[in-house]
Amino acid sequence: MSERILIFDTTLRDGEQVPGCQLNTVEKIQVAKQLELLGVDIIEAGFPISSPGDFNSVIEISKAVNSPIICALTRAVEKDIDIAAESLQYAKHKRIHTGIGTSDEHIKYKFASTRQEILERAVAAVKYAKKYVEDVEFYAEDAGRTDNEYLATVIEAVIKAGATTVNIPDTTGYCLPDEYGRKIRFLMENVNGIDKAIISTHCHNDLGMATANTMAGVMQGARQVEVSINGIGERAGNTSLEEIAMIVKCHKHLGLETNLNTKQIYPSSRLVSSLM
């Protein structure tokens, strides 16, 4: 029996941060419908508090597709979560994706905070999101550079608070594959209750490692991958959906499968290229 890898597509959120690209709502709906045909499990439709356009896009995408979970991104801020919940009102399956930076660099320079305060903010955000939806994903921003023991403490606390998916982003594309794989393995072995949540990868391609890091994470127990069509995204881009899809399809010995219809990869790629 093959193990299922969930495909979380962030073309319309992280992917749209590629320089010089701005999709309007009609174009975003076009892409979302194609992603549904492709068979992605989760569509990250936007960051609703960031702009009225993003808010409106999440609403319209929620109305336009039926099968995938529609996900809205937030910071660990109550107002963000309120707006995200409102934007998801028409979604058949809804998810709020909230989180905060956990590396010492982020804690010190971005938040001028402490590890304990960040831990408390993470837990509070998950509990607050849980009032609106059952399906809450937590991201530990800059997890790639976060101390593993502290990361495990945060992940354990947010799962206890109700997070159903825990996202371990290599936000700066810094990690090497063995290092990222070890991080996922450390969480699998050291977080009480890790069996109650799905570990997700979210890798960037700054050093050309996004696909390798994602697969290293999957080999150590991650069961959701955050990807984009054509690997688009800010800076050097995100993990490429089509590379992960075909690695899983070609290497049957890994005992993995996805829900993707690989015949829809080419039209999906062409559509995103033409629009962006």
Side-chain angles (χ1 to χ4, degrees):
M1 178 68 185
S2 292
E3 281 201 63
R4 174 86 179 279
I5 303 297
L6 297 170
I7 303 293
F8 177 113
D9 184 277
T10 188
T11 304
L12 294 172
R13 204 280 304 166
D14 209 342
E16 211 206 5
Q17 291 176 237
V18 69
C21 157
Q22 200 63 55
L23 297 180
N24 62 40
T25 299
V26 173
E27 291 167 333
K28 285 189 173 184
I29 290 169
Q30 213 182 332
V31 172
K33 286 183 166 175
Q34 180 58 39
L35 292 173
E36 184 171 30
L37 273 179
L38 179 59
V40 307
D41 299 286
I42 302 105
I43 296 175
E44 189 163 49
F47 183 8
I49 201 157
S50 66
S51 71
D54 252 36
F55 178 83
N56 189 48
S57 292
V58 178
I59 284 190
E60 295 306 325
I61 289 166
S62 296
K63 292 176 183 172
V65 302
N66 296 308
S67 303
I69 294 166
I70 304 298
C71 178
L73 185 75
T74 82
R75 294 165 300 183
V77 175
E78 288 188 358
K79 184 77 195 299
D80 282 33
I81 294 167
D82 292 337
I83 297 292
E86 194 184 334
S87 75
L88 291 168
Q89 60 188 296
Y90 300 108
K92 286 75 172 176
H93 317 281
K94 53 190 81 173
R95 174 181 295 185
I96 291 174
H97 189 189
T98 191
I100 197 164
T102 54
S103 67
D104 287 335
E105 290 87 345
H106 275 228
I107 293 169
K108 186 174 176 185
Y109 300 112
K110 185 173 178 179
F111 299 110
S113 189
T114 64
R115 284 185 171 189
Q116 185 57 33
E117 277 179 17
I118 293 296
L119 176 65
E120 288 164 11
R121 285 180 64 181
V123 167
V126 170
K127 284 183 173 170
Y128 193 75
K130 201 77 178 173
K131 292 178 182 174
Y132 286 113
V133 294
E134 262 310 299
D135 188 356
V136 175
E137 178 169 344
F138 174 81
Y139 64 84
E141 190 176 0
D142 205 21
R145 294 189 298 172
T146 299
D147 169 69
N148 284 353
E149 303 222 339
Y150 176 64
L151 182 61
T153 301
V154 173
I155 296 303
E156 189 168 311
V158 297
I159 292 172
K160 200 177 270 183
T164 46
T165 302
V166 287
N167 177 14
I168 313 301
D170 183 25
T171 304
T172 58
Y174 169 80
C175 286
L176 297 172
D178 65 327
E179 185 181 8
Y180 188 75
R182 279 199 309 273
K183 193 173 285 282
I184 301 299
R185 169 56 46 197
F186 186 86
L187 296 176
M188 290 291 287
E189 291 174 350
N190 292 280
V191 171
N192 284 328
I194 195 69
D195 54 317
K196 296 184 177 72
I198 290 169
I199 296 183
S200 181
T201 66
H202 181 110
C203 299
H204 281 266
N205 211 33
D206 299 68
L207 301 179
M209 301 284 181
T211 297
N213 282 340
T214 297
M215 286 310 300
V218 166
M219 298 309 289
Q220 296 300 337
R223 285 297 174 263
Q224 176 180 289
V225 294
E226 306 201 0
V227 294
S228 66
I229 300 289
N230 301 336
I232 60 168
E234 62 181 325
R235 305 186 318 276
N238 287 284
T239 306
S240 149
L241 176 144
E242 46 281 359
E243 288 174 4
I244 297 298
M246 295 314 297
I247 288 169
V248 169
K249 184 161 179 155
C250 295
H251 290 272
K252 296 268 193 280
H253 64 279
L254 298 177
L256 304 170
E257 63 181 12
T258 70
N259 191 43
L260 295 174
N261 174 1
T262 50
K263 290 180 179 171
Q264 290 295 331
I265 288 176
Y266 180 69
S268 304
S269 173
R270 287 301 298 256
L271 175 66
V272 169
S273 294
S274 67
L275 292 175
M276 289 185 163

